[in-house]
Amino acid sequence: MSVESLFPRLEPLLPAVQKPIQYVGGELNSSVKDWDEAQVRWALMYPDAYEVGQPNQGVQILYEILNEREGVLAERTYSVWPDLEALMREHGIPQFTVDAHRPVGAFDVFGISFSTELGYTNMLTALDLAGIPLHAADRTDDHPIVLAGGHAAFNPEPIADFLDAAVLGDGEEIVLAITEVIREWKDEGRPGGRDELLMRLARSGGVYVPRFYDVTYLPDGRIQRVAPNRPGVPWRVAKHTVMDLDQWPYPKKPLVPLAETVHERFSVEIFRGCTRGCRFCQAGMITRPVRERSITTIGSMVETGLKESGFQEVGLLSLSSADHSEIGDIAKGLADRYEGTNTSLSLPSTRVDAFNITLANEFSRGGRRSGLTFAPEGGSERMRKVINKMVSEDDLIRTVTTAYENGWRQVKLYFMCGLPTEEDEDVLAIADMARRVIRAGREATGRRDIRCTVSIGGFVPKPHTPFQWAAQCDHETVDRRLRALKDTLRRDKEYGRAIGLRYHDGEPSIIEGLLSRGDRRVGKVIQAVWEDGGRFDGWSEFFSFARWQSCAEKALEGVDLDWYTVRERDEVEVLPWDHLDAGLDREWLWQDWQDAIDETEVEDCRWTPCYDCGVCPTMDTEIQIGPTGKKLLPLTVV
Ligand code: SF4
C-alpha cells in the first residue's frame, strides 16, 4: 500500500515555527526511494533537533548502507521542536521523515541512535507523535519494530518497556542482517506475527529483545536475576564488531545540511576503538579493540567525500586521533594535497604531547593558530593515576610551551569534577595547573596575550567501565568544589584574568547517572517526566532537575534517586546490564576498579603485552593497527 507525503499538510504550518528549514529535507546526497519497490523500510532517528542530529555519523552511515541495497529504503527523522510539536498535535500530523515526509508509523523498523541517555524523553515524543504505543507490549503487527542502538544502548534497561529490540556495537553489518530477517519473514507471509519476528531476531543472537527476559529483584531493591523467559533465547547478547573498516568506507556521499548544524564538515573516522584504558571512558571500553582504517582508504575517502559534498573542512575522527599508527603521514599527505586550496583540516584530538603540536602545525599551515585543546581530565597527579590518564603535569607544560612557541595563543584544557576518590584539593589543583600553563606561555613567548580556557564536565559513572561500581559524587559537592575553584581563580591577580572557566552545575549529571545505570524500574520515571512535559533534556533551557526529582519520588518504590546514583555497588551485585556483553571480562573490570582505588596505572595494550581485558578472545577480534608503510600517493593536485 502506497504512503502519501505529509508535506502538503506540514508546509502551511512551517511559517509559524522556528527554523522551518530543518523540516524541509532534500539535502544534497539525500535519497528518496520508491515506497512500493522496497520490501524493508527503515526510519532512522537521532533523538535531538536537526542541528544536532543531522551531522551524526552513525545515522548517516546506516542511511547510506541501507539505501544502497536493492529493495531496502531508509529515511531520517529528528526531534521536532516544541513549537512544531504543538502544531502537529493540533492538526493531527504524525512524526514524519525529512526525506519524503512519510509517516514514521508506516515503516517496518523505527531505529533510534542514542549517544546520550538524555534523549530518552525525545524518543517518547516521537513515538507518541507517530501514533506508536509507548509500551512495546501494546504494539500490534501494524506498528514498526522500535530498535535502539548507539552507545547508550549498552544499557537499554531504563527504556526496555518502550523498545522492541536493541543492538550493541557497530551497526554496519547488523542492520543488513536484521533487514534480511524481516525480508524473509515478510516473504513467508509474516508467520506468527510480531512475536515470531522478534523471536527470530532474538534467536539470531545479535539482537536483544527485552520482553524475552524477566528481571527479578531482592527485597532490598537489588536485582536478583535476569533470565530468558523463552526457549532458544540466549542468556547473554553480545556486541557487534566490524573488523575491517576498509570494507566499509562510509559515508561516501555525506549529507550536506540545509540549516545550520553543530558540525559542517566532512568527517572521516580514521580508527575505531581505544585501548588507552581511561577508566571513566565508556566509549573507549565498549569499542575495543582498536581497528585502524588504512592511510590509503582515508585518503580516497577524503577525496571522494569532498567531491561529493563540496564541504571545505575535513575532520579526522576517532577517540584519540593522534594515536593512528600513520597519523604523521596522513597529516602531511593531506596538508600537501590541500595546501593552497580552500580546504581546511582538523584533528579533534586531545592527546597531551609535543607530537600533537607537530600535527596541529601541519593542519594549520598558512592558517590561523587560534586554539588547541588538551584533556588532562584530572587536576592532580593523584587523580590522573586513579582515572588512568597517564599524563604528568610536566608533560602538559612541555606540550603547551611548544604550542605557544609555535604561535598558538590559546590553549583549552578539559577536566572532570566528581571523579571517584576526588577531594577538594584535586579540583583546586586545576587552578595551579592553569597558572603554570599561563606562566610557561608568557616565558616562552615574552607576550602577555596568552590565554587558557578550562572546561569542566561532571563525571557520570557508566556501565561496562571499571567505575560502574562507583558512587557518583552528589551534585552539592560538585557545585561546591567548582565554586571554590572559581573563587580561587577570581582572587588571582597575576594570572586570573588570563584563565577562562566554563562549567555546568552538577544536577544534570545526576539525572544522566540515573539513566545510565538504571534498571527497568527507571522507565516509569522517564515516562512520568515526559508526561509532565519533559523534552530535550540535553538542553539546559529545557532541563528541569526539580521535575526529574519529583517524578523519581513518585514513580520509584523501595529505591530512589540516590540509590541509583550516589550508592557504591559491591562486586557480587547483579548489575542491570550484566546480561549484555561488551566483551570485557567482569573480573578484569573489578580488578581495574581496585587498581584505580590503589592509584595503579595500566598501559595501552597497543604497545605493551595484552593484559587480558577479555575483549579479543570473547569477541574473536584482535588489535588491528599499522603501519602499512604506504604513502598518500599519488597526490592529486587540487
Ligand atoms: S584482550 Fe588484550 S589485546 Fe585485546 S583489547 Fe583487551 S587487553 Fe587489549
Side-chain angles (χ1 to χ4, degrees):
M1 193 181 65
S2 217
V3 163
E4 297 292 313
S5 166
L6 293 164
F7 199 67
R9 290 172 60 203
L10 179 69
E11 195 181 10
L13 309 182
L14 295 183
V17 302
Q18 286 182 52
K19 301 183 185 170
I21 187 97
Q22 65 182 310
Y23 307 114
V24 170
E27 303 111 310
L28 181 63
N29 295 328
S30 63
S31 162
V32 172
K33 292 176 84 170
D34 188 277
W35 184 264
D36 296 322
E37 278 174 20
Q39 293 104 52
V40 182
R41 307 171 185 109
W42 287 70
L44 299 172
M45 178 180 206
Y46 188 87
D48 207 324
Y50 179 89
E51 63 193 89
V52 178
Q54 195 279 348
N56 181 267
Q57 278 269 306
V59 170
Q60 289 207 18
I61 289 171
L62 300 184
Y63 174 78
E64 200 173 343
I65 288 175
L66 289 165
N67 276 322
E68 269 183 3
R69 298 300 184 281
E70 216 171 291
V72 185
L73 168 162
E75 298 190 14
R76 294 158 300 133
T77 183
Y78 303 100
S79 296
V80 296
W81 207 243
D83 57 357
L84 184 60
E85 183 194 336
L87 286 174
M88 285 164 68
R89 288 186 188 283
E90 192 185 320
H91 294 265
I93 298 178
Q95 179 81 24
F96 56 86
T97 59
V98 293
D99 296 294
H101 299 93
R102 287 163 172 152
V104 165
F107 286 72
D108 297 302
V109 189
F110 180 22
I112 310 163
S113 175
F114 290 103
S115 313
T116 153
E117 297 80 2
L118 294 173
Y120 290 163
T121 47
N122 280 4
M123 168 183 70
L124 296 189
T125 310
L127 286 174
D128 189 51
L129 281 173
I132 302 169
L134 295 189
H135 287 250
D138 299 331
R139 291 174 200 147
T140 68
D141 289 0
D142 295 333
H143 297 117
I145 298 296
V146 178
L147 174 81
H151 287 183
F154 276 80
N155 176 25
E157 292 302 274
I159 47 170
D161 289 348
F162 314 121
L163 296 179
D164 293 298
V167 286
L168 279 62
D170 301 333
E172 287 91 337
E173 291 165 340
I174 187 66
V175 289
L176 295 177
I178 291 173
T179 300
E180 283 321 305
V181 171
I182 296 174
R183 200 195 313 246
E184 240 179 72
W185 171 79
K186 283 175 103 175
D187 279 352
E188 290 169 22
R190 303 170 186 248
R194 190 177 188 86
D195 192 78
E196 164 74 16
L197 173 59
L198 290 171
M199 263 309 278
R200 288 185 186 191
L201 290 170
R203 266 201 232 108
S204 74
V207 180
Y208 173 52
V209 180
R211 75 174 63 177
F212 297 151
Y213 296 78
D214 288 334
V215 183
T216 48
Y217 300 93
L218 294 164
D220 65 6
R222 290 178 301 154
I223 292 173
Q224 181 181 37
R225 200 168 99 115
V226 180
N229 57 25
R230 297 268 188 113
V233 173
W235 278 82
R236 299 191 81 201
V237 180
K239 73 166 179 180
H240 299 270
T241 311
V242 166
M243 274 316 290
D244 186 356
L245 289 194
D246 283 357
Q247 275 187 11
W248 299 92
Y250 295 89
K252 295 174 184 165
K253 296 183 170 187
L255 289 159
V256 182
L258 279 184
E260 199 179 324
T261 59
V262 289
H263 298 301
E264 285 169 19
R265 62 175 171 237
F266 174 49
S267 297
V268 179
E269 193 182 12
I270 62 173
F271 66 86
R272 212 170 269 182
C274 181
T275 41
R276 286 206 160 243
C278 302
R279 294 181 172 123
F280 56 83
C281 181
Q282 187 193 38
M285 292 290 165
I286 61 178
T287 59
R288 289 175 173 220
V290 172
R291 292 145 286 150
E292 286 187 355
R293 191 164 259 153
S294 71
I295 179 170
T296 38
T297 304
I298 294 167
S300 68
M301 281 180 73
V302 170
E303 196 170 330
T304 319
L306 289 178
K307 203 163 68 205
E308 295 289 345
S309 67
F311 279 126
Q312 293 187 331
E313 188 184 338
V314 180
L316 301 184
L317 283 192
S318 75
L319 291 171
S320 173
S321 293
D323 284 336
H324 191 288
S325 63
E326 290 176 294
I327 189 66
D329 288 336
I330 294 169
K332 185 166 181 324
L334 291 177
D336 285 347
R337 183 180 290 183
Y338 295 104
E339 190 164 16
T341 69
N342 285 333
T343 306
S344 64
L345 305 162
S346 70
L347 185 79
S349 165
T350 53
R351 198 169 106 176
V352 182
D353 65 25
F355 175 63
N356 225 347
I357 312 290
T358 314
L359 293 175
N361 289 346
E362 283 290 1
F363 280 2
S364 65
R365 265 191 225 169
R368 259 185 60 221
R369 298 197 166 173
S370 44
L372 275 183
T373 303
F374 301 104
E377 315 278 4
S380 66
E381 212 86 38
R382 189 196 73 79
M383 202 70 257
R384 289 192 294 276
K385 285 202 172 115
V386 170
I387 62 177
N388 204 44
K389 190 88 195 183
M390 290 199 258
V391 177
S392 73
E393 191 157 324
D394 290 342
D395 287 341
L396 180 82
I397 297 301
R398 263 194 299 277
T399 306
V400 296
T401 305
T402 316
Y404 289 127
E405 281 169 352
N406 278 271
W408 302 87
R409 292 284 163 262
Q410 161 106 284
V411 163
K412 282 191 204 145
L413 301 177
Y414 274 115
F415 295 93
M416 277 181 293
C417 183
L419 288 161
T421 79
E422 181 184 276
E423 299 286 346
D424 293 3
E425 68 246 27
D426 295 306
V427 178
L428 290 176
I430 295 172
D432 296 334
M433 190 188 268
R435 279 191 287 250
R436 271 192 77 187
V437 164
I438 297 293
R439 198 182 314 132
R442 286 181 184 170
E443 280 167 12
T445 61
R447 299 172 63 123
R448 301 283 296 174
D449 63 344
I450 298 299
R451 295 270 308 156
C452 169
T453 306
V454 170
S455 277
I456 308 186
F459 166 68
V460 179
K462 293 279 178 169
H464 306 283
T465 70
F467 290 159
Q468 63 182 356
W469 290 279
Q472 186 172 355
C473 188
D474 63 85
H475 63 94
E476 290 91 349
T477 305
V478 167
D479 291 344
R480 184 176 50 72
R481 287 181 182 151
L482 291 173
R483 266 196 314 274
L485 175 65
K486 189 175 164 196
D487 291 344
T488 308
L489 288 172
R490 209 175 30 207
R491 281 196 303 269
D492 189 319
K493 293 270 180 296
E494 197 178 351
Y495 300 108
R497 291 167 72 92
I499 301 166
L501 181 61
R502 289 209 197 118
Y503 64 89
H504 298 290
D505 58 33
E507 289 176 342
S509 299
I510 289 291
I511 300 309
E512 199 187 326
L514 167 76
L515 300 176
S516 295
R517 292 195 293 174
D519 52 39
R520 292 189 182 185
R521 293 169 291 190
V522 173
K524 283 204 176 80
V525 184
I526 300 169
Q527 188 169 343
V529 166
W530 176 77
E531 282 167 356
D532 191 51
R535 305 285 187 275
F536 289 91
D537 286 296
W539 296 62
S540 52
E541 60 262 52
F542 287 104
F543 177 79
S544 162
F545 186 63
R547 177 189 277 146
W548 277 96
Q549 228 175 0
S550 81
C551 289
E553 261 165 43
K554 282 182 228 148
L556 295 172
E557 284 166 38
V559 288
D560 59 19
L561 184 54
D562 283 355
W563 190 87
Y564 283 106
T565 54
V566 300
R567 179 180 65 94
E568 184 168 337
R569 282 74 162 159
D570 65 22
E571 188 180 1
V572 295
E573 178 167 341
V574 177
L575 302 172
W577 52 90
D578 275 346
H579 57 299
L580 300 171
D581 190 4
L584 297 149
D585 184 54
R586 203 178 193 272
E587 280 170 31
W588 177 80
L589 279 175
W590 179 262
Q591 187 51 50
D592 205 41
W593 168 221
Q594 302 311 301
D595 286 349
I597 296 166
D598 296 340
E599 298 163 24
T600 305
E601 293 163 302
V602 179
E603 298 270 357
D604 189 325
C605 60
R606 256 173 299 191
W607 305 298
T608 60
C610 166
Y611 46 76
D612 295 327
C613 79
V615 170
C616 293
T618 313
M619 298 289 148
D620 194 19
T621 55
E622 58 186 358
I623 296 264
Q624 205 179 67
I625 55 173
T628 60
K630 295 191 178 141
K631 293 278 178 251
L632 219 51
L633 289 170
L635 294 181
T636 321
V637 178
V638 184

